[in-house]
Amino acid sequence: STNPTSEPSSDPSGQPSAEPSLSPSKSAQPSSQPSLSPSLSTNPTSEPSSIPSSQPSSEPSSEPSSEPSSEPSSEPSSEPSSEPSRQPSSEPSSQPSSEPSSEPSSEPSSEPSSEPSSEPSSEPSSQPSSEPSSEPSSAPSCTPSVAPTEAPSRSDKEVFLFYPEWTENGCRSDGEEDDFMALNPTLWLSSTLEACCKKFFSGYNYETCLKKYPRDDDDCIVKLYYPDWNGSNEGCISDGKEPQYMLSNYDYFLSSTLEECCENFYNWDLYSCTGTAPTLTNGEYYPDWENSDTCVKGGDVPEYMFHNQNYYLSPTLQECCEKHYHWKLNECVGSSPGAVYVGTGKWYVDWEDSICIQDCDGASPCGGPAETWDELYSSREQCCDLHLSWNKDECNGQSAVDTGTLKWYVKWSADTCVQDCLTTTSADCGGVADSWEQLYSSKESCCDERLFWVRRCVTNQP
């Protein structure tokens, strides 16, 4: 019929109609199955349905629902919501929200944000950020970081002394002492917590005073260092017994760390003052001028040498000896136990024997280490030609050096003439003659000319 019935049928049809009616009826109960082609009402209902649909709508509603859906939407919305949700989502959004959530998430995100936040968090993170903050923190942390930063920051923190805080039965070190205390530091201020507690809270309040510090809003320095000029003068100490003139000018004389105090007053003996060992950057050999007067390795390197390691320290014994003991190079090189000299293998003149020898340690032709003033040559021939041309054969190691000439020369220690030949050859041989010895063809001519007053020279008689 063209007009709907006033009452719904007692038994609805099993299937919905293929086309919607022009004037839909108002049934008391909805149908169990949705229509194949839903109708589009010109005016939506003022209240949402009591049961949400199992599938999301193709377009979002203009107002958010009172309760979130049990399943998230398949795709995120193109624009963030005007207000953050009460609970964080399981995955981060591609864009940051315009305002941070009121409470931090229970666990950090797996990836850091592309930009740091404008305000620091109330509690430090467990891991350092990839980039340093643009502003330093208002107070240093009580626990230093595990590893130092590549570039140290510069702190302009002042040195604060301890003063009595009567309302707390303790001492504080925050620079907030009263003006009358600051004007008379020797009376009211102390360089250590212990000294302040002893001075103003002795007796039953002493232990209470010690336990009051450091407070959460204070730094962690509980003692200051000063140069021990009146004591051993070997470094800085922090016993709270500094002279009054240092306490009066504490900004200059007192330091919050041992390292700072040592740098200010014992820079010339920095490593002894701090009790640290320096890093050797140019080897371990150094000139031991005060003890063995030669190059040594390890031991107590003088402090001043650490400040100019390129000059004083050397990676090898040879380099150290050449740099600091060149006038006694051979003695220096052989001074180290187990030292083996290798040498350059080049040649230099042995003026005493008028031959050229090699810069090496061992059997001939090695002659030991060359001195720094010896000129070195790549070959024996070059050395002999330039300096010993008049004695070239002997210089080059010819047979005359080994067997002699069989001529005669004076052996002054025995007041007789001996033959120029190896002593193992015959009884008359006195060894190979030196180059400066004058040689004679016979013993008689040698004795007559050089030892004529010695009768036994010719006759071999006493």
Side-chain angles (χ1 to χ4, degrees), residues 12-14 29-34:
S13 59
Q29 295 181 353
S31 59
S32 59
Q33 297 288 333

Side-chain angles (χ1 to χ4, degrees), residues 72-143:
S73 58
S74 58
E75 295 182 3
S77 60
S78 57
E79 296 287 332
S81 59
S82 59
E83 295 182 3
S85 59
R86 292 192 298 271
Q87 296 291 332
S89 58
S90 58
E91 296 183 3
S93 59
S94 57
Q95 297 286 334
S97 60
S98 58
E99 296 183 4
S101 58
S102 59
E103 295 199 5
S105 58
S106 58
E107 296 183 3
S109 58
S110 57
E111 294 193 7
S113 58
S114 56
E115 296 182 4
S117 59
S118 58
E119 297 288 332
S121 58
S122 58
E123 296 183 5
S125 58
S126 58
Q127 296 290 332
S129 58
S130 57
E131 296 182 4
S133 58
S134 57
E135 296 289 331
S137 58
S138 58
S141 60
C142 292
T143 304

Side-chain angles (χ1 to χ4, degrees), residues 290-361:
E290 297 182 1
N291 299 304
S292 61
D293 197 25
T294 188
C295 284
V296 296
K297 178 181 179 181
D300 296 327
V301 181
E303 179 79 20
Y304 65 89
M305 293 186 181
F306 290 125
H307 298 287
N308 192 359
Q309 295 192 37
N310 288 337
Y311 176 74
Y312 291 109
L313 303 185
S314 302
T316 65
L317 175 64
Q318 176 72 21
E319 292 182 47
C320 178
C321 291
E322 288 178 353
K323 184 186 295 185
H324 301 291
Y325 293 100
H326 57 81
W327 66 90
K328 58 172 187 175
L329 181 61
N330 295 352
E331 180 182 345
C332 177
V333 170
S335 63
S336 181
V340 177
Y341 181 75
V342 179
T344 63
K346 295 185 177 182
W347 298 80
Y348 63 97
V349 177
D350 178 5
W351 296 104
E352 183 177 351
D353 293 332
S354 297
I355 58 174
C356 286
I357 54 179
Q358 204 168 11
D359 178 26
C360 55
D361 190 21

Side-chain angles (χ1 to χ4, degrees), residues 228-432:
D228 186 25
W229 291 330
N230 294 338
S232 63
N233 198 23
E234 294 179 353
C236 295
I237 57 177
S238 57
D239 57 3
K241 299 178 181 179
E242 64 281 340
Q244 287 197 354
Y245 71 88
M246 292 187 182
L247 198 58
S248 298
N249 193 7
Y250 58 85
D251 280 334
Y252 178 77
F253 289 107
L254 303 187
S255 304
S256 57
T257 65
L258 175 64
E259 290 74 15
E260 181 183 351
C261 179
C262 291
E263 287 178 359
N264 290 339
F265 302 105
Y266 292 94
N267 190 36
W268 51 272
D269 197 20
L270 181 62
Y271 298 108
S272 296
C273 179
T274 59
T276 59
T279 301
L280 300 180
T281 59
N282 200 48
E284 300 180 64
Y285 288 94
Y286 68 95
D288 185 21
W289 288 313
E290 297 182 1
N291 299 304
S292 61
D293 197 25
T294 188
C295 284
V296 296
K297 178 181 179 181
D300 296 327
V301 181
E303 179 79 20
Y304 65 89
M305 293 186 181
F306 290 125
H307 298 287
N308 192 359
Q309 295 192 37
N310 288 337
Y311 176 74
Y312 291 109
L313 303 185
S314 302
T316 65
L317 175 64
Q318 176 72 21
E319 292 182 47
C320 178
C321 291
E322 288 178 353
K323 184 186 295 185
H324 301 291
Y325 293 100
H326 57 81
W327 66 90
K328 58 172 187 175
L329 181 61
N330 295 352
E331 180 182 345
C332 177
V333 170
S335 63
S336 181
V340 177
Y341 181 75
V342 179
T344 63
K346 295 185 177 182
W347 298 80
Y348 63 97
V349 177
D350 178 5
W351 296 104
E352 183 177 351
D353 293 332
S354 297
I355 58 174
C356 286
I357 54 179
Q358 204 168 11
D359 178 26
C360 55
D361 190 21
S364 179
C366 291
E371 301 291 354
T372 54
W373 55 81
D374 285 323
E375 190 172 357
L376 301 177
Y377 300 93
S378 58
S379 67
R380 174 188 275 183
E381 290 73 17
Q382 183 185 16
C383 175
C384 293
D385 289 343
L386 290 175
H387 295 286
L388 299 169
S389 57
W390 49 271
N391 191 33
K392 187 178 295 186
D393 290 341
E394 185 176 349
C395 179
N396 282 308
Q398 300 299 324
S399 59
V401 176
D402 297 328
T403 62
T405 63
L406 298 180
K407 293 184 178 182
W408 299 80
Y409 65 95
V410 177
K411 188 172 184 179
W412 297 102
S413 60
D415 284 338
T416 188
C417 287
V418 294
Q419 203 168 13
D420 178 23
C421 55
L422 297 176
T423 56
T424 57
T425 305
S426 72
D428 291 328
C429 292
V432 178

